[in-house]
Amino acid sequence: MSSCSKKEEPIFQKIKYDLSSNYKDSLGTKIIPNKNYQYWAYMSYYQNSGKAKYTVLKQGGNTLQKQNIKKEPTLRGFFEGCHPNYCCNYIIIIENNKIKYLKTKEEFKEFIGTIDNLEEAMLLARTDDYILDTDIKGSAYRIKDDTYELHLMKFHEYPSQKESVEIKIDKKGNVKTKSLGIYCKGQKCYE
């Protein structure tokens, strides 16, 4: 008598990030850059009533070199928001003794390179405006065959809707998406 054992499919699990805080900043603390830099920093920028606040969320390399970096007064970056104020994230690198500010989604993707963990997969999905929701339809993941499979939310403003989207991200950062349908409509989507 022979027994056939079939490999069990991994099940989707709830993504455990608190949405009452700025979870994308927390995700950034898990970044592993695609290569070694003399110095690098994942930063957040927040401007309110003309006052600017710069925060280092994670850094690596020779941290003594950060003293050579000047803050930019009118900064733009990726993950922009915080209306009516302004906030964004950006990356500073020092490579070959030159300082460079990475401000675009493309530069961010190149900086991440290989997808090393769930947080990097979620940040990559965030570059295409897929975000976490409190509903399990917009906050689940599993890892299958070295691919991160995420169920995240795409918010549509006019008319107000939340769409569940399955996002598959392999280690190389290739992304495939599939709509799982609308699960919230109208004013209750803002609650």
Side-chain angles (χ1 to χ4, degrees):
M1 183 170 163
S2 67
S3 65
C4 296
S5 63
K6 186 177 179 183
K7 187 177 174 185
E8 283 192 36
E9 286 269 315
I11 60 169
F12 278 92
Q13 303 172 48
K14 175 103 172 109
I15 297 173
K16 296 179 179 166
Y17 272 89
D18 181 7
L19 297 184
S20 65
S21 65
N22 188 348
Y23 77 90
K24 72 178 173 2
D25 286 353
S26 298
L27 295 175
T29 64
K30 305 291 186 189
I31 288 177
I32 301 169
N34 64 340
K35 61 182 179 179
N36 291 325
Y37 294 95
Q38 288 172 265
Y39 173 76
W40 66 271
Y42 179 67
M43 304 284 298
S44 74
Y45 171 76
Y46 181 76
Q47 185 177 19
N48 181 7
S49 303
K51 294 180 183 171
K53 180 180 177 185
Y54 299 84
T55 306
V56 176
L57 301 170
K58 185 172 181 185
Q59 59 186 344
N62 181 353
T63 56
L64 294 176
Q65 291 200 17
K66 77 178 176 182
Q67 65 193 0
N68 300 324
I69 298 170
K70 308 244 183 316
K71 294 180 177 76
E72 291 191 344
T74 55
L75 188 64
R76 292 287 179 241
F78 46 88
F79 307 146
E80 296 176 311
C82 303
H83 185 73
N85 300 308
Y86 177 75
C87 66
C88 69
N89 292 80
Y90 64 100
I91 293 172
I92 301 171
I93 61 170
I94 299 178
E95 186 175 36
N96 301 322
N97 297 317
K98 293 184 179 162
I99 298 168
K100 184 174 180 184
Y101 294 82
L102 309 182
K103 302 177 189 179
T104 68
K105 292 176 182 180
E106 292 73 26
E107 290 172 325
F108 178 64
K109 289 176 183 180
E110 187 177 317
F111 177 81
I112 289 177
T114 301
I115 303 303
D116 300 299
N117 52 49
L118 172 64
E119 288 78 7
E120 286 187 350
M122 290 173 60
L123 284 167
L124 185 60
R126 178 70 177 88
T127 63
D128 291 320
D129 297 322
Y130 299 110
I131 59 176
L132 275 179
D133 192 21
T134 53
D135 190 301
I136 190 72
K137 293 174 184 153
S139 64
Y141 81 99
R142 71 179 176 184
I143 302 169
K144 182 180 171 187
D145 302 324
D146 283 339
T147 297
Y148 291 90
E149 295 183 14
L150 311 171
H151 289 178
L152 296 176
M153 183 252 293
K154 179 83 165 185
F155 188 77
H156 303 278
E157 227 168 311
Y158 304 106
S160 302
Q161 299 181 96
K162 291 181 179 182
E163 177 184 9
S164 180
V165 179
E166 182 175 83
I167 304 147
K168 294 181 180 182
I169 301 174
D170 67 18
K171 293 279 188 186
K172 293 180 181 176
N174 297 312
V175 178
K176 293 180 184 174
T177 62
K178 176 176 83 171
S179 176
L180 300 175
I182 302 296
Y183 64 94
C184 180
K185 291 182 179 182
Q187 188 61 34
K188 65 183 175 187
C189 297
Y190 289 102
E191 296 169 359

